[in-house]
Amino acid sequence: MGAVVHGGDPGRDDLLLRWEFLAGAWVAAAVGNAAFVVTTGCMWVGGRVYNGRPMAPGVALVGLLAVTTLLSTLVQGPAGGSWAGAEVMFLTLLVLSGLGSIEARRGALGTTATAWGITAALGVQCLYYIARTWVFLTRGPESELFLQWFDTAPTSVITIALTISVVVSLSVLRAQDRARPARGADITLTQVRDGFLGPGSFEGVLQGQLHRAEQRRERLAVIVLQTSGLEQIRSAFGNRAVEEVATRWREGIQTAVPLSALLGQVDPATVVISAPVLGANQAKRLAGQISQRVLDEFNAAATAATVIVGVGVCVSVPGLSARDLLDRAQTGAVRSAAGAETAIVLVGADEVDAQAAVSR
């Protein structure tokens, strides 16, 4: 193949000489363009998977765009030069980086501060390729503006910097996921009795519920009901009376909670419940309904006159683990039981409308 030497920048002339001599360089350029599209597309698909969206549609779209980019370069052959298929690659990259930046603000990714690094990096890439495409189409790849700001060298520097930013953010997200208890881990469910899970099983299932709730931007209420006075009943009426009270307590809770609620028993005096809610107000109403039903059951048993029920509620917010919710709701139940009047204590819910204790 003959070499064509253009006047001007010696470095640029050297690149053109090598392009002319390397007959297969256009094939390498086509593969490289497609690989670049796949790299950015994988970042978008990874965000979709993290947010619980199906992988197949994203993979299919990225594959289609990569093949289109590859063919747009190959069909021009060696005559297309070093910028063959560039328009298609630029447009594809700006679309995929824009989609990735948007995906990082949705679902579970949107609730984590770490994902802002992904949003910023892919957003900058999208804006850069919008500008690069405009200059390429309006000024041409040989223009001074394009050579100074959008040629291969500055683009490589920007690409490396943005890729490192995304990789660091993804690594931090991965480390945070591994630190979450019970996410992706197998757990053995232990049932205490009558559909009530043991404390370890309840916490494990609740952690999985929280992950799904974050993905769907939904909320869960954790309600703890704690009774006091059972020892006095045992002393006055014996173990049978205590068992009757406990049975009425569990039956009252089972009939008052929604079918979708998860039930657990920490100890003979403490029951925990989780249920999907729209917010703090609905959580308080649900806790009130459950505690009122329990009190009605207790009133039906003459031996339960001295039983006190403390009710603590915590509504999920991004960043709180199952253990956090259980501890806060437990603290609320203890405060409620120690209060002078029966109250539902709301702990760690919406800062705007939460109250330390809300009387029924």
Side-chain angles (χ1 to χ4, degrees):
M1 176 182 293
V4 178
V5 180
H6 301 265
D9 181 21
R12 188 76 178 170
D13 293 341
D14 182 60
L15 288 175
L16 290 171
L17 276 169
R18 278 183 283 172
W19 182 266
E20 295 293 337
F21 277 118
L22 296 176
W26 61 281
V27 177
V31 174
N33 291 349
F36 198 6
V37 168
V38 170
T39 300
T40 304
C42 285
M43 296 179 187
W44 169 57
V45 173
R48 284 177 54 85
V49 173
Y50 191 95
N51 285 336
R53 307 185 196 284
M55 179 188 293
V59 171
L61 178 58
V62 172
L64 177 63
L65 293 176
V67 170
T68 302
T69 302
L70 178 69
L71 294 178
S72 69
T73 306
L74 292 179
V75 294
Q76 298 185 42
S82 58
W83 292 107
E87 304 94 329
V88 176
M89 184 189 71
F90 291 174
L91 291 171
T92 300
L93 288 174
L94 73 86
V95 169
L96 289 176
S97 57
L99 289 174
S101 181
I102 293 172
E103 191 65 40
R105 303 309 331 137
R106 302 172 66 188
L109 274 177
T111 65
T112 61
T114 307
W116 276 108
I118 302 174
T119 302
L122 293 179
V124 169
Q125 180 178 335
C126 179
L127 294 175
Y128 178 81
Y129 271 93
I130 290 175
R132 195 183 192 200
T133 303
W134 181 82
V135 174
F136 184 88
L137 295 176
T138 58
R139 303 289 187 89
E142 300 299 330
S143 65
E144 182 178 353
L145 177 61
F146 189 89
L147 293 175
Q148 183 174 358
W149 296 104
F150 301 104
D151 201 11
T152 302
T155 300
S156 299
V157 173
I158 293 175
T159 300
I160 292 172
L162 295 179
T163 301
I164 291 174
S165 299
V166 173
V167 170
V168 170
S169 298
L170 291 174
S171 299
V172 173
L173 279 174
R174 186 64 175 168
Q176 291 174 341
D177 283 350
R178 288 177 178 174
R180 289 184 182 179
R183 182 181 174 184
D186 294 333
I187 58 174
T188 301
L189 298 182
T190 302
Q191 183 171 293
V192 178
R193 62 168 65 188
D194 302 331
F196 287 80
L197 296 175
S201 298
F202 183 91
E203 182 177 347
V205 176
L206 177 60
Q207 186 64 46
Q209 287 184 324
L210 285 174
H211 177 58
R212 294 194 302 274
E214 286 184 8
Q215 290 180 325
R216 301 172 61 170
R217 294 185 179 274
E218 296 179 358
R219 308 185 71 181
L220 291 174
V222 172
I223 303 170
V224 172
L225 288 87
Q226 188 173 67
T227 61
S228 60
L230 294 181
E231 289 305 316
Q232 290 86 335
I233 295 176
R234 189 188 308 276
S235 300
F237 303 100
N239 290 333
R240 179 171 296 181
V242 173
E243 184 60 31
E244 179 189 357
V245 171
T247 300
R248 286 183 175 274
W249 181 30
R250 289 191 295 270
E251 290 177 350
I253 292 173
Q254 286 178 319
T255 56
V257 299
L259 187 61
S260 58
L262 181 67
L263 301 176
Q265 187 164 356
V266 177
D267 54 52
T270 307
V271 165
V272 290
I273 304 160
S274 75
V277 294
L278 296 178
N281 290 332
Q282 185 182 6
K284 289 181 287 187
R285 288 195 299 270
L286 177 60
Q289 295 169 5
I290 296 172
S291 60
Q292 186 59 55
R293 182 56 185 267
V294 169
L295 290 174
D296 292 341
E297 291 291 338
F298 282 169
N299 291 333
T303 57
T306 59
V307 174
I308 298 174
V309 180
V311 185
V313 183
C314 185
V315 181
S316 66
V317 294
L320 289 184
S321 66
R323 185 72 265 160
D324 294 332
L325 291 174
L326 290 170
D327 288 345
R328 296 185 183 195
Q330 178 77 34
T331 299
V334 172
R335 287 166 48 190
S336 173
E341 57 179 319
T342 303
I344 299 172
V345 177
L346 187 63
V347 181
D350 293 347
E351 294 182 0
V352 177
D353 60 354
Q355 301 175 359
V358 181
S359 300
R360 285 203 302 266

